[in-house]
Amino acid sequence: MKKIKNIAIIAHVDHGKTTLVDAMMKFAGVFRDNQKVEERVMDSDVLEREKGITIFSKNASLNYEDYKINIVDTPGHADFGGEVQRILKMVDSVLLLVDAFEGPMPQTKYVLKKSLEHGHKVIVVVNKIDRPNSRPHEVLDLIFDLFVQLNADENQLDFPVIYTSAKNGFAKYEIDEENNTLKPLFDTIVKHADDTKGDLNLPFQFLTSAIEYDNYLGKMGIGKIHSGKISKGDEVALIKKDASKTIHKITRIFSFEGLSKTEVTEAFAGDIIALAGIDDIDVGETVSHKENSEALMTIDIDSPTLTITFMTNDSPFCGKDGKYVTSTTLWNRLQKELQKNVSIKVERTESQDAFIVIGRGELQMSILIENMRREGYEFQVSKPEVIYKEINGRKHEPVEMVSIDVADDYAGVVIEKLGLRKGEMLNMAQGKDGYTRLEFKTPTRGLIGFRNEFLTDTRGTGIIHHSFYDYEDYKGPIPSRNKGVLIAMESGSSASYAMFNLQDRGSMFIEPGTSVYEGMIIGEHSRENDLEVNVCKGKKLTNMRAAGSDENIKLSPPRKFSLEQAIGYINYDELLEVTPQNIRMRKRVLNKIDRKKASKKPA
């Protein structure tokens, strides 16, 4: 039986985790010499490939010398921190990947903090050393300062360091040495990463860290065997979160080999495996020997900070696109999400048609919404709202650490805009490439919808990252969207003539020929107030026509929103209608008279 090392690769967004896993697999011979392999092969989900980020933690395994190395690729975006937290129970060491140019970022600090709390051995990998303007030695000093800041002990401070270019597939102990393979990285893992822990002689114990579905086998639990061994056909006890126990028979056992799962007849302490035969297994639950059943410590996930209300679609276009439109199907789909996503919660409301989803951030919510619409669901969502806490009799709100890289010319406007949103600037450092690094501590409220404004102000050149910091005293009111919207006053099809005459009133979100309904948001007003407009009005037909006059209508291109941008844009009296084919912004109350009545009611 091979020795086992279980390692998680953790890093900030776009620092090269998945690319490094690709290179490690090629070096370890997972792929045939003539095999065509896509880039970022671990990012198998459609949305992961579209957005270029890792969303779900995934397992793979490599063989090197006498070792089987189980690798877990983790998300780098703060909104998916729950994915990182749940897999840290599965591993014994971590590779901390840091960009040789950008250095430690907010999510680097977050994932490192969690790893140190678990007592994991950390191997530091300074990646992208081939990048222009890279500063590996300066970045290494910043990483050491971060370890000190996070109260790492003496053993943790004595971390091994490897310099790599994941894209070019090489690793070095020192920057100036000659080497064109990843052998130094693998040798460092063998020498410094902890061997997996687990006593083979104790009763079987397994903690579920992930859930997978198979069309033939049903629900499977993925996790690490903490002690003992398991064989196909064994009867085991499932210990639920409420301490109740049920007996099940293991029908299949899978071990990870490369990118795929291989069926085995038995597995032993320390290995990461998948178990089939337990239909009601969930993340954080223990599978143990049926006669010596004892629960393992559950996965501790940080509290969520945002809520969004999901509700059935009640617009005039309800049912035109969607396959699943009822409250029952919406509730069942959200319950299904709970089984594999440990960082969200779902609650019922007083209305049977609305449910509150509690999560970590706008991106996490938008990924859930996008997946649901692609599956055929049709529903509406509200603007995100933060979760307040009362601590020592005082109102507290979630605060985020924000890191911004922006061209020097735009630094002033970013500082001004975040200042209005109660952002507190902690650091400002001018780079050598005409960019300035800004660091803020900002209320989560102030970041909702900020990305759209930020990209506009920086002409699309700015980069912003943020991660949850802590709960602090309520910072006071924050200005909301500073412009009103243009609202369709009747149902119909938008006309070029009407849109041309409305161009002076604001910018449009729709194209000519778009179906609209009363109360639907079709553009942004140039002033602060909302304005009802007739976007369906056509040109009056007379027998007096000017040659070519209709061809002279020139419209500005409409302003298009991604799902995430639309969620951040809408106000609290507005909703986002989501269908498989369309994303529409609308007022909560569609009728103009009813809206006026509702606005006069006391809050």
Side-chain angles (χ1 to χ4, degrees):
M1 189 173 69
K2 284 193 172 185
K3 299 175 194 173
I4 297 173
K5 291 186 183 287
N6 298 322
I7 297 176
I9 300 186
I10 58 177
H12 190 77
V13 179
D14 202 31
H15 279 200
K17 295 182 308 303
T18 309
T19 305
L20 182 64
V21 174
D22 286 358
M24 291 175 73
M25 288 183 175
K26 288 173 185 173
F27 179 80
V30 171
F31 309 121
R32 300 187 310 273
D33 291 339
N34 63 345
Q35 186 173 347
K36 184 181 178 182
V37 181
E38 291 188 59
E39 287 186 3
R40 305 194 335 271
V41 68
M42 289 282 275
D43 284 348
S44 52
D45 184 76
V46 176
L47 277 180
E48 289 181 318
R49 289 204 164 275
E50 285 182 14
K51 291 182 175 290
I53 60 172
T54 302
I55 296 170
F56 307 105
S57 297
K58 286 173 285 292
N59 299 72
S61 110
L62 312 170
N63 292 306
Y64 182 72
E65 296 182 349
D66 297 329
Y67 286 89
K68 176 185 180 182
I69 303 173
N70 286 316
I71 293 179
V72 188
D73 185 19
T74 65
H77 196 285
D79 283 12
F80 308 106
E83 289 282 310
V84 178
Q85 285 178 267
R86 69 176 173 80
I87 62 90
L88 288 177
K89 288 273 188 184
M90 229 184 336
V91 300
D92 307 289
S93 304
V94 296
L95 292 184
L96 178 69
L97 208 68
V98 182
D99 188 301
F101 171 72
E102 291 187 349
M105 299 288 276
Q107 183 70 356
T108 311
K109 181 176 180 180
Y110 173 82
V111 293
L112 178 59
K113 179 172 180 262
K114 295 299 176 186
S115 301
L116 295 175
E117 286 173 358
H118 279 77
H120 290 331
K121 181 75 176 179
V122 180
I123 298 171
V124 172
V125 179
V126 181
N127 191 33
K128 301 188 183 183
I129 58 172
D130 56 326
R131 180 176 174 177
N133 300 322
S134 67
R135 46 187 187 125
H137 296 301
E138 188 179 335
V139 164
L140 183 58
D141 291 339
L142 294 172
I143 294 169
F144 185 82
D145 291 344
L146 182 58
F147 271 75
V148 173
Q149 184 184 342
L150 295 175
N151 299 317
D153 60 35
E154 287 187 15
N155 290 329
Q156 290 170 329
L157 284 171
D158 188 23
F159 52 80
V161 181
I162 290 289
Y163 301 95
T164 66
S165 167
K167 186 177 180 180
N168 295 310
F170 66 78
K172 300 178 180 183
Y173 294 108
E174 297 294 340
I175 291 291
D176 52 1
E177 73 180 26
E178 291 294 325
N179 182 57
N180 59 1
T181 73
L182 284 178
K183 189 175 188 303
L185 175 61
F186 277 85
D187 290 341
T188 302
I189 290 172
V190 168
K191 182 178 179 181
H192 293 282
D194 291 336
D195 287 350
T196 188
K197 302 176 181 71
D199 193 331
L200 194 58
N201 300 313
L202 291 175
F204 175 70
Q205 276 188 312
F206 167 96
L207 181 65
T208 314
S209 296
I211 294 294
E212 194 171 283
Y213 290 88
D214 185 279
N215 290 335
Y216 301 101
L217 301 175
K219 209 172 179 182
M220 292 193 292
I222 298 173
K224 175 184 167 186
I225 304 176
H226 283 253
S227 62
K229 69 172 187 175
I230 185 73
S231 300
K232 183 178 177 180
D234 283 356
E235 287 193 339
V236 294
L238 173 66
I239 306 173
K240 304 290 285 183
K241 291 176 184 175
D242 61 3
S244 63
K245 298 176 185 178
T246 51
I247 304 299
H248 301 266
K249 184 177 180 180
I250 299 299
T251 56
R252 299 280 185 90
I253 304 171
F254 293 93
S255 179
F256 290 91
E257 296 291 338
L259 285 168
S260 57
K261 295 192 295 291
T262 303
E263 187 174 354
V264 295
T265 55
E266 58 182 0
F268 304 91
D271 204 358
I272 294 174
I273 61 168
L275 294 177
I278 310 174
D279 290 336
D280 56 343
I281 192 169
D282 282 323
V283 172
E285 296 177 346
T286 302
V287 181
S288 68
H289 190 282
K290 69 173 184 177
E291 292 171 2
N292 295 284
S293 55
E294 187 176 333
L296 291 162
M297 189 178 295
T298 56
I299 298 167
D300 186 26
I301 303 296
D302 284 348
S303 300
T305 56
L306 282 180
T307 70
I308 289 186
T309 303
F310 283 56
M311 59 195 81
T312 54
N313 188 10
D314 63 356
S315 86
F317 292 168
C318 173
K320 287 191 174 183
D321 293 348
K323 185 178 177 184
Y324 308 108
V325 296
T326 65
S327 59
T328 303
T329 55
L330 182 60
W331 172 257
N332 290 340
R333 174 61 180 83
L334 293 173
Q335 291 302 302
K336 183 180 175 183
E337 187 69 20
L338 284 178
Q339 295 174 350
K340 59 182 180 180
N341 192 337
V342 295
S343 57
I344 71 163
K345 298 176 183 176
V346 181
E347 296 177 356
R348 290 188 180 273
T349 64
E350 294 178 358
S351 168
Q352 292 185 343
D353 297 328
F355 314 106
I356 295 174
V357 178
I358 306 169
R360 296 287 281 268
E362 287 175 82
L363 181 59
Q364 183 198 31
M365 295 293 194
S366 69
I367 293 294
L368 170 59
I369 293 167
E370 182 64 32
N371 277 325
M372 288 175 64
R373 71 185 284 254
R374 292 186 183 198
E375 292 165 17
Y377 288 85
E378 183 177 312
F379 53 98
Q380 298 178 140
V381 294
S382 68
K383 185 180 180 67
E385 297 185 52
V386 301
I387 299 171
Y388 298 104
K389 287 184 179 179
E390 190 169 311
I391 303 173
N392 298 326
R394 301 178 65 174
K395 186 178 182 180
H396 283 63
E397 66 175 321
V399 172
E400 314 243 346
M401 294 299 292
V402 184
S403 176
I404 291 174
D405 287 305
V406 63
D408 297 342
D409 292 345
Y410 304 126
V413 68
V414 171
I415 294 169
E416 180 188 350
K417 290 292 177 70
L418 270 181
L420 291 172
R421 292 169 176 261
K422 306 295 182 183
E424 175 189 343
M425 191 163 75
L426 305 176
N427 190 29
M428 178 178 178
Q430 198 157 8
K432 300 173 184 176
D433 56 350
Y435 270 67
T436 299
R437 165 73 58 86
L438 304 169
E439 292 179 5
F440 290 85
K441 193 164 66 173
T442 308
T444 303
R445 277 183 305 139
L447 294 174
I448 296 174
F450 175 68
R451 190 178 293 271
N452 291 334
E453 205 174 309
F454 172 76
L455 290 174
T456 302
D457 291 338
T458 62
R459 305 295 187 270
T461 61
I463 300 170
I464 179 170
H465 297 293
H466 56 89
S467 64
F468 173 70
Y469 173 66
D470 203 353
Y471 270 82
E472 293 189 353
D473 282 334
Y474 178 68
K475 307 294 182 185
I478 293 176
S480 58
R481 190 177 67 205
N482 59 2
K483 289 185 179 178
V485 290
L486 300 175
I487 307 164
M489 62 192 303
E490 64 177 43
S491 300
S493 182
S494 59
S496 300
Y497 176 74
M499 294 175 69
F500 178 74
N501 290 327
L502 290 171
Q503 284 191 134
D504 292 340
R505 298 295 185 98
S507 57
M508 290 291 169
F509 299 161
I510 61 170
E511 297 172 335
T514 302
S515 296
V516 301
Y517 54 79
E518 181 186 5
M520 180 173 153
I521 296 170
I522 54 96
E524 182 177 83
H525 194 197
S526 55
R527 300 187 180 183
E528 292 183 7
N529 62 303
D530 294 341
L531 182 68
E532 286 81 12
V533 297
N534 185 356
V535 75
C536 305
K537 184 179 179 182
K539 188 174 182 181
K540 298 291 184 186
L541 296 178
T542 70
N543 57 3
M544 297 295 291
R545 307 284 290 185
S549 62
D550 288 342
E551 285 76 16
N552 290 334
I553 292 179
K554 292 182 180 179
L555 298 174
S556 300
R559 186 171 156 195
K560 297 292 185 180
F561 286 82
S562 67
L563 178 61
E564 188 183 351
Q565 288 171 335
I567 291 172
Y569 182 82
I570 57 175
N571 250 333
Y572 294 106
D573 65 335
E574 297 163 359
L575 297 173
L576 191 65
E577 180 187 353
V578 180
T579 78
Q581 302 297 327
N582 295 286
I583 297 171
R584 305 183 186 97
M585 290 180 275
R586 51 158 286 187
K587 287 293 181 180
R588 276 182 185 265
V589 181
L590 296 177
N591 182 266
K592 177 182 177 181
I593 296 172
D594 293 340
R595 253 195 325 273
K596 285 188 175 180
K597 289 178 181 176
S599 65
K600 291 177 181 178
K601 289 181 180 178

